């Protein structure tokens, strides 16, 4: 059974940056193999990791709809299985899969369900799965791929941002998405010190704060230069903060295994 870590939050809060750093921690600590899922329709996790991809699941789904029309049952399943395999970008210690553009409105066709099964089966091959979700919770509901062991809602360092994160947490609960552990990550915190008002808002929302990620010029400089943010140095404050979080997540999971 794989352990799923999902990162969510509104646009531009740092989900992709954090997902990339989480993945790198897992790979560096041999908590592998890891499947990185870019579930954002405007895919960019690959850029943060400095890898390129040629096919997305959304794209497969489109041709599958056309080509698989003539196929049925097992043949259709095998066809989709093969196409998903083709969309996997294999790297050292991890694979990346890009979900791509969402399907057209009202399309709950058979191919989608089959694809979901294919991805679920694929998931069993990995120790960890890191899902970089797009803003909102589309993927956690309509396109639910997996159950979530650790859900991290990312927010900027504002009271309003944390309020939004609280709303996302409530929505997730209402939608019945099975989440074992949910936490708030406040990102881009000036000087790494969380303002009292922001902390109070997190408490009011009932969201545990497993880590605070400082505003880090290393990230900003690489991103501005079009360089993969995954290339920030080992001692970069943002990386150190994510490392601390991942140590805790991994320790907790090791305990679960022993139990
Ligand atoms: N800790 C940080 N310090 C400085 N800049 C950051 C930090 N985290 C993210 N950023 C920057 O914020 C912007 C949004 O980050 P990104 O990870 O793409 O967010 P999202 O995936 O939520 O849309 C990017 O320009 C990124 O470089
Ligand atoms: Mg993103």
């Amino acid at each position: 059974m794989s352990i799923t870590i999902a990162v969510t939050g509104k646009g531009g809060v740092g989900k992709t940056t954090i997902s990339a750093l989480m993945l790198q921690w897992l790979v560096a600590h041999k908590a592998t193999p890891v499947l990185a899922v870019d579930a954002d329709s405007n895919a960019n996790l690959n850029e943060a990791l400095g890898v390129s991809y040629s096919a997305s699941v959304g794209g497969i789904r489109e041709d599958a709809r056309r080509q698989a029309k003539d196929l049925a049952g097992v043949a259709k399943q095998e066809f989709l299985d093969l196409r998903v395999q083709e969309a996997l970008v294999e790297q050292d210690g991890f694979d990346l899969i890009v979900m791509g553009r969402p399907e057209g409105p009202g399309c709950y066709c058979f191919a989608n369900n089959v694809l979901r099964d294919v991805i679920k089966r694929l998931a069993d091959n990995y120790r960890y799965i890191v899902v970089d979700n797009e803003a909102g919770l589309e993927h956690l509901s309509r396109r639910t791929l997996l159950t979530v062991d650790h859900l991290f809602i990312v927010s900027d360092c504002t009271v309003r941002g944390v309020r939004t994160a609280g709303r996302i947490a409530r929505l997730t609960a209402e939608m019945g998405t099975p989440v074992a552990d949910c936490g708030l990550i406040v990102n881009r915190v000036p000087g790494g010190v969380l303002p009292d008002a922001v902390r109070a808002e997190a408490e009011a929302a009932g969201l545990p704060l497993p880590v605070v990620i400082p505003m880090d010029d290393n990230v900003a400089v690489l991103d501005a230069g079009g360089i993969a943010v995954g290339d920030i140095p080992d001692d970069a404050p943002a990386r150190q903060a994510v490392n601390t979080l991942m140590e805790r997540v991994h320790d907790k999971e090791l305990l679960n295994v022993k139990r």
Side-chain angles (χ1 to χ4, degrees):
M1 270 288 278
S2 48
I3 300 153
T4 303
I5 301 173
V7 182
T8 189
K10 68 179 174 114
V13 288
K15 298 179 295 291
T16 301
T17 305
I18 293 167
S19 301
L21 297 175
M22 285 175 161
L23 176 84
Q24 289 182 331
W25 186 93
L26 291 167
V27 172
H29 290 79
K30 306 227 169 342
T32 51
V34 187
L35 176 64
V37 181
D38 187 336
D40 194 332
S41 49
N42 185 10
N44 61 359
L45 180 60
N46 66 298
E47 283 167 18
L49 293 166
V51 303
S52 52
Y53 70 97
S54 54
S56 73
V57 172
I60 299 168
R61 196 169 35 220
E62 302 241 316
D63 351 309
R65 225 179 286 160
R66 269 178 264 125
Q67 296 175 35
K69 248 198 293 209
D70 308 326
L71 300 173
V74 174
K76 190 178 251 177
Q77 181 97 39
E78 277 171 4
F79 168 80
L80 290 167
D81 233 331
L82 207 72
R83 303 304 299 273
V84 168
Q85 286 295 340
E86 282 169 9
L88 267 188
V89 184
E90 290 177 18
Q91 298 288 304
D92 207 8
F94 74 94
D95 292 345
L96 169 72
I97 193 149
V98 177
M99 301 307 289
R101 228 159 351 101
E103 68 259 39
C107 177
Y108 290 94
C109 53
F110 179 63
N112 283 349
N113 293 331
V114 178
L115 265 174
R116 194 154 44 199
D117 289 346
V118 170
I119 291 167
K120 265 192 185 144
R121 266 188 290 131
L122 183 76
D124 283 337
N125 303 333
Y126 298 91
R127 183 143 170 224
Y128 275 95
I129 301 173
V130 177
V131 190
D132 176 14
N133 287 278
E134 68 186 334
L137 286 162
E138 289 290 285
H139 302 283
L140 293 180
S141 56
R142 200 153 56 85
R143 293 217 270 160
T144 299
L145 300 173
L146 315 147
T147 56
V148 177
D149 297 288
H150 301 273
L151 176 67
F152 294 111
I153 304 172
V154 185
S155 169
D156 55 19
C157 188
T158 65
V159 169
R160 207 144 51 95
V162 172
R163 212 168 280 154
T164 303
R167 241 185 330 260
I168 294 174
R170 280 197 300 280
L171 253 165
T172 318
E174 279 166 21
M175 287 188 307
T177 310
V179 177
D181 170 42
C182 177
L184 172 70
I185 297 179
V186 182
N187 186 27
R188 266 188 268 147
V189 177
V193 181
L194 202 61
D196 287 343
V198 173
R199 184 181 295 279
E201 190 61 39
E203 275 167 20
L207 285 173
L209 265 168
V211 79
V212 158
I213 302 183
M215 174 76 90
D216 187 341
D217 281 347
N218 293 287
V219 176
V221 167
L222 287 197
D223 215 9
I227 301 166
V229 294
D231 286 347
I232 57 170
D234 287 346
D235 61 357
R239 185 189 293 285
Q240 299 262 313
V242 173
N243 288 354
T244 304
L245 174 67
M246 290 308 292
E247 275 157 29
R248 253 181 271 145
V249 166
H250 192 54
D251 281 352
K252 207 187 254 177
E253 290 301 339
L254 290 177
L255 278 175
N256 282 346
V257 171
K258 277 192 203 119
R259 231 177 268 140

